[in-house]
Amino acid sequence: MRKIFNLILCLVLFQISAQNKQILYNFAELPQTLLLNPASEVNYKFHVGLPLLSGVSSDFGSKGVVLSDIFANDNRSINDKIAEAIQNLSYRDFTKINTQIEILSGGFRFKDDYYISFGFYQELDAIGYYPKDALDFISEGNAPHINRAFSAAGIRYKADFLGVLHAGISKKVNENLTIGGRFKIYSSALNAESNNNTGLFTTTGGTNNIYTHYLTDVNLKFRTSGLIENNEYITDASTYLKNTFFGSNIGIGFDVGLTYRITPQLEFSGSILDLGFINHKTNTKNTSVTGNFVFEGVALEFNNDDNFENWNEIDQRFQDEIPVTDDFESYISWRPTKLNLALKYSFGDYRSKVCYDNTYKNFYTDAIGVQLYNVFRPLSSQLALTGFYEKAITNKIHTKVTYTIDDFSYTNIGAGLSLQLGSFNIYGLADNLLEYGDLSSTNSASFQLGFNFLFN
């Protein structure tokens, strides 16, 4: 039984990922930067993304534990390694995942000062906090923890798999200011979440093998949508994929952004993404566990029917005093809103390139800057601070190097390359490069890859 628990725990600990796309933000006038700031400046006439390959991203990371903590090649048993990993966790440690695949992407210029972009992408976004008290209790039991109150508040997670149909517009107000917005229609294929749980489990006593167990103020809530149909789990992957495009659980959201040139060389930009919600009304299930329970335990011998009747009595009391109830009502879930702020200073050689209207745009070959990223999560906001350096090697080759400090690491170095071959554009971005030699010891890593056609 303990081996089975250890295997399950390992699987839970390493569902890991992250979300910040600091390398892609406002980089090389790529169409995908419009998804991070709808007011990003682009100077082509129209673009078409290569279907399924215009924007592919996957980010991962884990705060509190890494693979090598469990599978390091040393003389300790795996049970000892897991126990030590749990011991080092705090209630603020978490894992999260965000993966996006652009199915379709396009855009075109309208009346010179407007750029309209649109598309459809699928997204997996999930976060789970480590329930330290629950892990301690499951792995060690309550015998070593007499009088300790185990809290259920650490049970906190949210997972979404959805499709996003979107259309955005940016307007060049004047030579200094560009503003933009994006409207999104969310189609949720799967949602599972639990938050704001309460409840304490405490064991007291111990004299003459008599213990009193208290379950106090238990109030647990679990919600799912798209996972269960007719009391059976949906196991067909095609059903989830189909529901990402105008399924029954629909929501709306907005992005807003701006780019402002303070001087010809100093630029400020910012965006707020995913101000929105989803109304889950089909294939929903809401489970609640509420109540209080006190049980005084004695070492019982299981050699007569009376003792079994006692256990049946206790089980019935438990069901009566802490009932589990289900309903199938609709509910609202909110998208994780994100904030980007950046300041960039350009310098170096002064060059020009042809724009959509056959005019020339002047630009500097080099730039340095700083970017702040924040995403609002169930327990608290998660911040990342990035310093970056951009270099236009030619009008067709652009590079970017970043250094990021976040919840996962103080040594996250990333790099990006955008290459233009005629009308064909290819870009690749990778994060946390110093850790690629030993991925089992890394807390985070990410990449983005895409292919587009850009036309002037």
Side-chain angles (χ1 to χ4, degrees):
M1 186 67 181
R2 188 177 180 85
K3 291 181 179 179
I4 295 175
F5 164 74
N6 288 339
L7 176 60
I8 294 172
L9 180 58
C10 287
L11 294 175
V12 171
L13 288 177
F14 300 111
Q15 300 177 41
I16 52 179
S17 198
Q19 189 176 14
N20 187 16
K21 296 179 179 178
Q22 69 274 17
I23 309 174
L24 184 60
Y25 182 80
N26 281 356
F27 174 52
E29 297 187 3
L30 296 171
Q32 284 67 36
T33 66
L34 291 167
L35 292 175
L36 302 180
N37 180 6
S40 293
E41 293 184 349
V42 295
N43 286 282
Y44 32 84
K45 192 169 186 179
F46 65 95
H47 80 271
V48 178
L50 197 63
L52 297 176
L53 292 175
S54 59
V56 178
S57 67
S58 183
D59 313 329
F60 65 91
S62 174
K63 185 176 185 293
V65 63
V66 296
L67 280 170
S68 61
D69 292 337
I70 306 300
F71 299 107
N73 187 16
D74 55 33
N75 296 324
R76 296 177 300 158
S77 69
I78 191 169
N79 291 338
D80 292 338
K81 295 174 187 176
I82 291 176
E84 183 178 343
I86 294 175
Q87 183 65 33
N88 292 333
L89 290 174
S90 81
Y91 74 98
R92 288 188 172 275
D93 291 332
F94 59 89
T95 63
K96 61 178 182 175
I97 180 170
N98 183 269
T99 299
Q100 287 186 6
I101 298 178
E102 271 191 342
I103 309 300
L104 295 171
S105 173
F108 61 92
R109 191 161 295 280
F110 177 70
K111 291 184 178 180
D112 289 347
D113 292 335
Y114 297 87
Y115 195 80
I116 297 172
S117 58
F118 52 86
F120 174 75
Y121 63 86
Q122 292 176 334
E123 178 178 4
L124 171 65
D125 183 77
I127 183 169
Y129 292 84
Y130 295 119
K132 179 171 173 55
D133 278 16
L135 293 175
D136 284 342
F137 177 73
I138 294 172
S139 63
E140 300 178 13
N142 62 334
H145 301 287
I146 301 301
N147 297 319
R148 173 180 171 180
F150 292 92
S151 173
I155 302 174
R156 184 181 284 110
Y157 61 84
K158 188 176 190 294
D160 287 292
F161 178 54
L162 69 160
V164 183
L165 184 68
H166 62 88
I169 184 170
S170 65
K171 174 178 172 53
K172 189 172 184 178
V173 179
N174 53 47
E175 289 300 317
N176 297 324
L177 178 63
T178 301
I179 59 175
R182 183 170 305 279
F183 176 69
K184 296 178 175 180
I185 298 177
Y186 305 117
S187 180
S188 174
L190 171 66
N191 169 262
E193 59 184 66
S194 182
N195 195 19
N196 297 324
N197 294 305
T198 64
L200 298 174
F201 175 69
T202 309
T203 299
T204 63
T207 304
N208 297 323
N209 205 27
I210 297 176
Y211 298 89
T212 304
H213 310 281
Y214 300 87
L215 279 165
T216 311
D217 296 328
V218 176
N219 188 359
L220 308 178
K221 295 186 182 299
F222 307 94
R223 305 195 298 191
T224 65
S225 168
L227 182 64
I228 298 173
E229 184 176 22
N230 298 324
N231 289 324
E232 293 186 359
Y233 287 101
I234 300 173
T235 58
D236 185 5
S238 63
T239 300
Y240 293 106
L241 293 175
K242 179 182 68 176
N243 287 337
T244 61
F245 190 76
F246 285 105
S248 300
N249 300 313
I250 297 293
I252 59 172
F254 301 91
D255 301 342
V256 294
L258 66 85
T259 298
Y260 182 70
R261 294 190 179 277
I262 302 170
T263 71
Q265 292 177 265
L266 187 61
E267 173 189 288
F268 170 79
S269 65
S271 65
I272 300 175
L273 309 177
D274 284 315
L275 282 167
F277 66 93
I278 299 173
N279 183 18
H280 301 274
K281 58 182 181 179
T282 302
N283 294 335
T284 61
K285 184 177 181 179
N286 307 300
T287 300
S288 298
V289 183
T290 58
N292 296 277
F293 184 73
V294 179
F295 164 57
E296 190 173 83
V298 151
L300 298 176
E301 297 179 4
F302 297 96
N303 55 7
N304 59 65
D305 292 338
D306 291 340
N307 284 328
F308 284 108
E309 288 177 6
N310 290 337
W311 283 112
N312 290 334
E313 243 180 73
I314 294 168
D315 180 58
Q316 187 59 52
R317 273 190 55 214
F318 184 87
Q319 294 181 44
D320 292 340
E321 296 180 32
I322 304 186
V324 179
T325 59
D326 295 323
D327 68 64
F328 307 95
E329 301 296 324
S330 63
Y331 65 89
I332 298 291
S333 70
W334 295 93
R335 298 290 293 139
T337 301
K338 296 165 272 293
L339 172 70
N340 288 291
L341 298 172
L343 193 64
K344 181 169 74 172
Y345 178 77
S346 300
F347 62 97
D349 294 338
Y350 201 49
R351 296 179 181 175
S352 62
K353 63 180 178 180
V354 178
C355 297
Y356 59 91
D357 55 358
N358 290 322
T359 62
Y360 288 88
K361 176 188 177 182
N362 297 319
F363 69 98
Y364 291 91
T365 57
D366 299 72
I368 58 173
V370 62
Q371 178 200 345
L372 178 67
Y373 169 83
N374 184 35
V375 57
F376 297 93
R377 290 297 191 177
L379 182 60
S380 62
S381 296
Q382 294 170 1
L383 293 165
L385 181 65
T386 298
F388 61 86
Y389 169 68
E390 296 180 12
K391 174 71 174 180
I393 298 174
T394 70
N395 288 4
K396 304 293 185 180
I397 303 175
H398 296 262
T399 61
K400 186 175 182 178
V401 178
T402 61
Y403 174 79
T404 300
I405 298 173
D406 57 19
D407 286 322
F408 304 111
S409 172
Y410 296 125
T411 57
N412 184 347
I413 295 176
L417 173 66
S418 173
L419 178 63
Q420 191 79 16
L421 302 172
S423 297
F424 184 67
N425 168 263
I426 177 174
Y427 70 91
L429 319 168
D431 208 356
N432 212 24
L433 298 178
L434 297 180
E435 302 295 335
Y436 273 51
D438 183 11
L439 289 177
S440 67
S441 297
T442 185
N443 288 91
S444 68
S446 72
F447 76 89
Q448 292 105 50
L449 178 69
F451 304 88
N452 300 287
F453 293 93
L454 311 180
F455 300 96
N456 276 342

